[in-house]
Amino acid sequence: MTSLINVNKNSKNEVISRHIYGHFAEHLGRCVYEGIWVGEESPIPNTRGIRNDVVDALKKLNIPNVRWPGGCFADEYHWKDGIGPRESRPSIVNNNWGKVTENNHFGTHEFLDFCEQLGTEPYICGNVGSGTVQEMQEWIEYITFDGQSPMADLRRKNGREKPWKLKYFGIGNENWGCGGKMRVEHYADLYRRYETFVRDYSDIPIYKIACGPSEADYHWTEVMMREGTGRTEPYSDNVMTSAWEHYRPNMHGLSLHFYTRNRANYDSSTEFTEEKWFDYMRRTVVMEELIQRHTAIMDKYDPEKNVDLIVDEWGSWFKVEPGTNPGFLYQQNTLRDALIAGINLNIFNNHCDRVHMANIAQLVNVLQAVVLTEGEKMLLTPTYHVFEMYKVHQDAKLLPVSVSTKNYSYGEDTLPMLNVSASQDDSGKVHISICNLDPNNSEQVHVNLKGLSELSSASGRLLTAEAMTEHNTFENPNRVEPVAFNNIELKENELSLTIPSKSVLVVEIQ
Ligand code: AHR
């Protein structure tokens, strides 16, 4: 049997928000320190302390936003520790991640400089768990207020005359866990209180993101949608609109965290057989069900879909690399991670009517990183290549797909062999991203694009490898990287191709 993909016109004009391709950088292990920040005195080439090689590599992904400073770190972070002359900043304990010393050399100015170097939007997560309302309010004032005020003046004293642009702000992180072990009923009230003081000081109103559920905690979503928001009008750029709505809680986004992991027994990232390949494919596609079920609850309270789902932590979570600090969450990244990334991004694309943003955990050297570093060396992971191949979907119009494919079976269990999404960009180019989950079998694929206007040429890029466990190392950094894939037949808006086993393919048709 040949698999059949029907690519349909989008009658609803849904757009795949570029923010689905967002990232996350926490003060955790070697993500911020070493991965991003090396300091101005470092022999590693840097611009104002930020590594040039990492910035150059990340720029090629068109990263739309970076979430910072955590994660669990966010609910213990007191932002005033991270401003002013670096030598006077206090050294603190990073209680969540290995109890190592955090010297606060990377703070608000350094993060926002990093965002400016990358050309990306900041998404800052505030401290609800151990911080005050005043502290949160003052952070926003410090970053965004152009007039005269204690915080804006302090920012100027610290060397930044003009405010930065900040739209995305999280009101706490995982407040059901490391962010305060709260019940949702308690957090919903706290959310209303904290968000009240997150003021709009500029012509970019703050887009407020509430802590949402962990995985399948549907009760959390239910209560937050019922109690956390009285406002389900869309986010508006018009400050006047939001200004008079003082007394209704504002929630523009509700976050969801879901990792592809085996919490009972964290597995190796590089040493595995087909059993674990299948297991992690199975664990990944759960994202589809989670999004559908949380969305169904959100639809009840917000049928207009004005509150967005923000999947601001996702990705693979394996056992740390042997010999590394268990608190640093440093893992390698194989072809299996490429599939995990490709499948998740396809799921987010297909649910872009509700999913506005997603942030893979994490940017450098932590969990499913796109970049790994070792001293002055840097490598790009298979996950990096998926983000680079998929960037064509950013801000493109979703083309809904219907897929009829065989199953990939392992033992008694089965999964659909192919996972797909498609979009059309402003210039009319169509992109289809196809993941073949089966590590043993290639598959003939027939793609029907008949509903679209005439397309005359097709080309592709493919990411695969000989072995499931293949990965890039500092000695061999180019083992897994995309190659051109031109074995595609296009006739009267019908495509035929054979997708290799265990691969991620992006086809461009114009
Ligand atoms: O990404 C690592 C951690 O996972 C984050 O700090 C936390 O929010 C989540 O539990």
Side-chain angles (χ1 to χ4, degrees):
M1 173 193 130
T2 303
S3 288
L4 183 66
I5 300 173
N6 275 312
V7 178
N8 304 301
K9 254 203 173 132
N10 184 343
S11 51
K12 296 194 203 136
N13 280 330
E14 288 147 351
V15 168
I16 298 172
S17 160
R18 65 180 181 283
H19 290 291
I20 284 176
Y21 292 80
H23 288 258
F24 171 32
E26 180 167 8
H27 289 238
L28 192 180
R30 298 188 301 112
C31 181
V32 166
Y33 297 105
E34 288 190 38
I36 295 170
W37 177 259
V38 286
E40 286 164 318
E41 307 305 323
S42 170
I44 298 174
N46 67 82
T47 302
R48 295 180 295 278
I50 294 165
R51 294 181 75 124
N52 294 343
D53 53 354
V54 170
V55 168
D56 289 346
L58 295 177
K59 268 184 167 170
K60 300 195 180 108
L61 300 184
N62 293 351
I63 290 181
N65 70 77
V66 177
R67 178 174 183 250
W68 173 86
C72 296
F73 184 80
D75 280 283
E76 285 204 61
Y77 184 59
H78 300 285
W79 68 271
K80 285 185 185 164
D81 289 349
I83 55 169
R86 281 188 207 110
E87 59 287 358
S88 331
R89 298 184 193 174
S91 284
I92 58 163
V93 188
N94 188 332
N95 284 312
N96 287 288
W97 305 116
K99 299 223 164 44
V100 293
T101 301
E102 157 68 58
N103 65 13
N104 278 304
H105 282 194
F106 191 87
T108 302
H109 290 248
E110 290 77 12
F111 170 65
L112 291 164
D113 185 15
F114 174 58
C115 290
E116 286 181 342
Q117 290 188 33
L118 263 189
T120 196
E121 280 192 55
Y123 164 18
I124 290 185
C125 185
N127 179 348
V128 171
S130 69
T132 63
V133 170
Q134 181 180 356
E135 197 179 348
M136 189 178 283
Q137 184 275 322
E138 287 181 342
W139 203 4
I140 306 287
E141 183 185 319
Y142 186 90
I143 295 171
T144 62
F145 190 51
D146 200 11
Q148 209 183 355
S149 80
M151 290 304 113
D153 292 346
L154 183 58
R155 180 191 71 233
R156 289 188 194 100
K157 191 174 143 229
N158 288 331
R160 174 80 184 197
E161 177 57 36
K162 281 284 155 203
W164 290 276
K165 288 189 183 354
L166 173 70
K167 174 172 171 183
Y168 294 106
F169 193 82
I171 317 267
N173 167 74
E174 296 196 351
N175 300 94
W176 37 262
C178 60
K181 298 186 193 149
M182 298 176 201
R183 291 172 309 114
V184 62
E185 291 75 9
H186 178 63
Y187 172 75
D189 278 344
L190 272 191
Y191 175 79
R192 295 163 68 120
R193 178 166 168 238
Y194 275 72
E195 78 79 13
T196 304
F197 298 94
V198 172
R199 309 278 192 204
D200 294 334
Y201 289 109
S202 77
D203 55 356
I204 306 170
I206 302 286
Y207 178 110
K208 299 171 186 176
I209 300 172
C211 163
S214 165
E215 307 186 350
D217 184 352
Y218 300 112
H219 175 67
W220 188 283
T221 300
E222 182 84 40
V223 175
M224 283 309 294
M225 290 304 293
R226 194 179 65 222
E227 311 289 347
T229 180
R231 174 183 190 279
T232 55
E233 287 86 18
Y235 169 85
S236 162
D237 282 347
N238 184 342
V239 185
M240 295 313 291
T241 315
S242 52
W244 53 259
E245 290 188 313
H246 277 324
Y247 304 114
R248 290 198 279 163
N250 278 293
M251 181 170 90
H252 303 108
L254 181 67
S255 87
L256 164 69
H257 289 184
F258 174 64
Y259 286 94
T260 299
R261 63 177 158 181
N262 176 4
R263 254 195 285 219
N265 180 18
Y266 285 90
D267 291 298
S268 162
S269 62
T270 51
E271 285 169 24
F272 56 89
T273 58
E274 189 179 348
E275 183 194 352
K276 291 291 178 188
W277 169 280
F278 183 90
D279 188 32
Y280 281 81
M281 295 299 121
R282 188 175 57 82
R283 290 173 190 276
T284 301
V285 298
V286 170
M287 184 65 92
E288 174 82 40
E289 181 187 334
L290 291 174
I291 291 179
Q292 279 174 6
R293 294 188 60 183
H294 286 294
T295 296
I297 298 166
M298 295 175 84
D299 284 350
K300 241 181 14 181
Y301 295 93
D302 172 32
E304 302 291 320
K305 296 192 191 288
N306 292 321
V307 178
D308 299 320
L309 193 58
I310 306 288
V311 190
D312 54 14
E313 287 189 31
W314 67 272
S316 63
W317 191 320
F318 295 114
K319 197 152 69 185
V320 298
E321 280 297 283
T324 64
N325 187 330
F328 281 14
L329 309 186
Y330 177 68
Q331 65 191 40
Q332 249 293 0
N333 196 294
T334 67
L335 181 64
R336 181 174 61 178
D337 293 84
L339 271 290
I340 292 172
I343 294 168
N344 272 302
L345 292 169
N346 281 340
I347 295 172
F348 302 147
N349 287 349
N350 288 328
H351 289 282
C352 66
D353 58 339
R354 187 60 91 173
V355 178
H356 171 68
M357 184 193 284
N359 305 74
I360 189 169
Q362 296 194 5
L363 197 52
V364 194
N365 292 334
V366 168
L367 298 176
Q368 194 177 349
V370 290
V371 166
L372 302 178
T373 67
E374 195 179 83
E376 77 290 351
K377 293 192 213 143
M378 182 198 78
L379 67 78
L380 310 178
T381 66
T383 301
Y384 174 96
H385 294 303
V386 173
F387 272 82
E388 193 275 319
M389 289 161 71
Y390 272 51
K391 69 183 178 190
V392 290
H393 289 305
Q394 291 189 21
D395 285 339
K397 205 194 294 166
L398 176 76
L399 297 175
V401 289
S402 42
V403 183
S404 140
T405 178
K406 29 169 116 90
N407 282 329
Y408 159 40
S409 307
Y410 185 80
E412 300 291 293
D413 291 325
T414 59
L415 287 172
M417 184 178 190
L418 303 183
N419 175 282
V420 185
S421 73
S423 68
Q424 186 161 33
D425 69 16
D426 284 346
S427 69
K429 283 183 196 148
V430 172
H431 294 102
I432 310 175
S433 39
I434 313 173
C435 298
N436 182 359
L437 281 59
D438 190 325
N440 305 311
N441 298 297
S442 59
E443 175 68 352
Q444 277 197 339
V445 184
H446 186 79
V447 185
N448 182 341
L449 299 143
K450 290 232 178 249
L452 306 179
S453 52
E454 205 189 312
L455 299 155
S456 55
S457 71
S459 60
R461 290 174 76 212
L462 179 77
L463 191 70
T464 188
E466 278 295 304
M468 290 179 285
T469 53
E470 196 61 278
H471 54 280
N472 296 331
T473 62
F474 292 101
E475 294 68 43
N476 281 302
N478 305 320
R479 278 191 190 139
V480 188
E481 55 180 17
V483 293
F485 180 87
N486 289 319
N487 215 348
I488 307 171
E489 235 179 78
L490 172 67
K491 220 162 109 201
E492 293 170 6
N493 274 22
E494 292 192 340
L495 286 183
S496 299
L497 58 92
T498 299
I499 183 168
S501 62
K502 52 177 171 354
S503 63
V504 179
L505 174 66
V506 175
V507 180
E508 178 173 291
I509 314 124
Q510 52 184 321

